[in-house]
Amino acid sequence: MISRKLKDKLAGLETPFYLYDMDLLRLTLESAVSMASRYGYKLHYAIKANYDPRLLEMIRSYGLGIDCASGNEVRCALEAGFDPSGVVYAGVGKKESELRYAISQGIFAINCESLEELEVLSALATEMGKTVTVALRVNPDIDPKTNHCIDTGQADSKFGISYEEILENSERIRQLPGLRVRGMHLHIGSQIRELHVFEYLCEKVNVIVENLEAAGFELEFVDVGGGLGINYDMPENEPVPNFASVFAIIHSHLRVGGRPVHFEFGRAIVGQCGELITRVLYNKTTATGRKLLIVDSSMTELIRPALYGAYHNIENITSAETKREKYTVVGTACESTDKFDENVSLPVSKRGDLLTLKSAGAYGQSMASRYNLHDLPRSVYSEEL
Ligand SMILES: Cc1ncc(COP(=O)(O)O)c(C=O)c1O
């Protein structure tokens, strides 16, 4: 969150850039780690949310493992110094080269998402003379009550293996050479704000674990994914997400014996510590009377609004105007969907003013692209200012 002093310092910097509040990241990690330790829960950071090396360094210093979604993410985690024994790797379409790499690095678990993937992994592990620990990513058919674009655990989703298919093929799966099928994994979606959804999740997991055991699987751990949401509407009211509540819910509803429980949070760890700082380039009014603020960033820096209608709170951090105006804030990319928000109430804003798009630490910089040959956004860290 940006203090008065910081605002003055930002004014002289070239825009756009991501500003990371390292104190807030520290506070968030302290909260996550201390709440998880109450129950002995194991935390992995979903590295896809943000790959910034300074953020990774701090996350590693708090002892988190990593959750990956590609071979290059596994490589990035290992190069950032994370121990392979804390790395899990899920992904609906892992290529052979990625599987070979993950096998060779001896990571904690590969989370498999189809029967065919299990067979390919088994063949590769056997060929390489290795035994791989596997978690079955189960599709539990749960509605996480979030934006449909970011739900991942409903029956028709591309993610995970249907629970029925696992039970029907349990014998075949258990006998695949080169695999130790020891984990049950699920991830039902992201930006979950209705925490009672985690109660349903526990109820499903309890039944799934019991039935997988009855089908002969020797499960040693359960990974319940990530998904804890953050307050995009009023980030200042909730800078640190409610880890205490979600862990308390899981603790009181999950019945998986003494098995370790793993979490894979991305957004909840880094979402609130990042903001996209951008400058007003031009004011323009459409023929229909709509007032546009054209800023010097776009969907190439922050694609979430264009990709799935995500909301980011926008503030003008340099204007001293008291009069307010309603704006549509648009970016520089050559796409009509390149729009950050409509009807944004801001102080009357002029060329050169700085805007912040808040809560942009997760799935912001990591989703940046070079469309229109834009430069990739750089990082600025609060502790350097
Ligand atoms: C398998 C898996 N785990 C964890 C996450 C992290 O989710 P979140 O950032 O909502 O915590 C994701 C996000 O897509 C995921 O696909």
Side-chain angles (χ1 to χ4, degrees):
M1 315 279 147
I2 302 176
S3 64
R4 181 73 254 163
K5 219 169 92 199
L6 210 53
K7 285 178 189 173
D8 296 338
K9 292 185 176 164
L10 295 180
L13 300 180
E14 193 184 327
T15 50
F17 58 86
Y18 275 92
L19 174 68
Y20 292 110
D21 181 338
M22 301 305 277
D23 290 332
L24 180 55
L25 178 59
R26 200 171 285 116
L27 277 178
T28 306
L29 287 162
E30 273 164 16
S31 168
V33 167
S34 78
M35 297 300 160
S37 71
R38 285 188 186 173
Y39 311 106
Y41 291 157
K42 303 205 180 303
L43 298 183
H44 302 257
Y45 164 62
I47 195 169
K48 62 177 82 79
N50 196 314
Y51 310 109
D52 182 275
R54 292 273 288 268
L55 270 57
L56 291 181
E57 192 186 326
M58 188 179 288
I59 291 166
R60 186 172 60 83
S61 75
Y62 278 84
L64 278 74
I66 290 281
D67 159 55
C68 302
S70 73
N72 280 347
E73 287 194 352
V74 175
R75 187 170 284 109
C76 174
L78 300 182
E79 284 175 3
F82 287 88
D83 198 282
S85 65
V87 173
V88 294
Y89 174 21
V92 75
K94 304 182 193 79
K95 291 181 274 187
E96 272 194 36
S97 56
E98 295 178 302
L99 288 172
R100 277 184 205 281
Y101 175 68
I103 296 168
S104 72
Q105 297 305 307
I107 63 173
F108 176 69
I110 299 184
N111 301 345
C112 287
E113 309 213 14
S114 68
L115 288 188
E116 206 163 13
E117 183 193 340
L118 283 162
E119 278 163 6
V120 170
L121 183 63
S122 162
L124 293 175
T126 309
E127 182 195 305
M128 293 168 71
K130 304 265 191 193
T131 302
V132 185
T133 301
V134 164
L136 298 172
R137 179 167 179 182
V138 181
N139 177 318
D141 192 17
I142 296 179
D143 178 356
K145 312 265 185 240
T146 183
N147 181 335
H148 186 52
C149 299
I150 50 174
D151 70 34
T152 55
Q154 303 216 50
D156 195 38
S157 163
K158 73 171 181 176
F159 297 101
I161 317 179
S162 101
Y163 169 47
E164 290 73 20
E165 196 178 14
I166 295 175
L167 291 181
E168 278 161 25
N169 293 278
S170 61
E171 182 81 17
R172 186 169 137 217
I173 297 171
R174 281 191 292 108
Q175 285 171 3
L176 284 169
L179 306 187
R180 292 175 72 248
V181 181
R182 293 291 182 272
M184 187 250 146
H185 172 230
L186 82 173
H187 170 75
I188 59 170
S190 203
Q191 185 51 15
I192 298 169
R193 293 286 286 167
E194 295 189 32
L195 294 189
H196 60 88
V197 164
F198 289 103
E199 294 179 17
Y200 305 148
L201 177 147
C202 291
E203 283 154 21
K204 286 265 177 161
V205 173
N206 295 344
V207 174
I208 293 170
V209 167
E210 196 181 315
N211 288 344
L212 289 183
E213 264 210 305
F217 289 101
E218 293 166 39
L219 297 183
E220 291 172 1
F221 64 96
V222 171
D223 180 341
V224 294
L228 177 61
I230 61 172
N231 189 339
Y232 282 98
D233 295 331
M234 286 190 268
E236 290 79 5
N237 289 359
E238 207 184 327
V240 177
N242 196 346
F243 294 105
S245 293
V246 77
F247 292 145
I249 289 173
I250 301 280
H251 178 70
S252 57
H253 291 83
L254 201 64
R255 304 268 168 273
V256 292
R259 293 181 182 89
V261 179
H262 296 241
F263 291 80
E264 307 166 340
F265 294 128
R267 190 186 309 274
I269 302 289
V270 293
Q272 295 292 31
C273 77
E275 307 190 28
L276 176 62
I277 309 295
T278 187
R279 203 176 293 274
V280 176
L281 285 176
Y282 302 110
N283 270 276
K284 166 159 107 175
T285 306
T286 66
T288 56
R290 198 153 58 108
K291 289 195 180 308
L292 304 182
L293 269 189
I294 303 164
V295 297
D296 68 356
S297 58
S298 71
M299 61 193 281
T300 62
E301 283 78 20
L302 180 62
I303 198 175
R304 298 185 65 258
L307 186 64
Y308 27 63
Y311 171 78
H312 287 270
N313 190 309
I314 303 178
E315 198 182 305
N316 184 323
I317 53 172
T318 49
S319 171
E321 290 283 346
T322 47
K323 196 170 160 244
R324 296 184 84 82
E325 190 68 78
K326 289 261 172 86
Y327 294 103
T328 298
V329 180
V330 301
T332 53
C334 200
E335 293 292 331
S336 294
T337 57
D338 179 33
K339 180 176 65 187
F340 287 126
D341 202 5
E342 292 175 333
N343 280 318
V344 188
S345 171
L346 293 171
V348 169
S349 300
K350 59 177 192 315
R351 177 170 165 80
D353 284 355
L354 282 190
L355 304 189
T356 174
L357 284 96
K358 302 178 200 172
S359 317
Y363 310 107
Q365 200 168 7
S366 63
M367 283 193 176
S369 81
R370 292 219 52 211
Y371 178 55
N372 288 165
L373 291 183
H374 285 180
D375 292 327
L376 288 173
R378 65 197 176 97
S379 308
V380 173
Y381 309 96
S382 56
E383 58 199 9
E384 280 181 344
L385 291 166

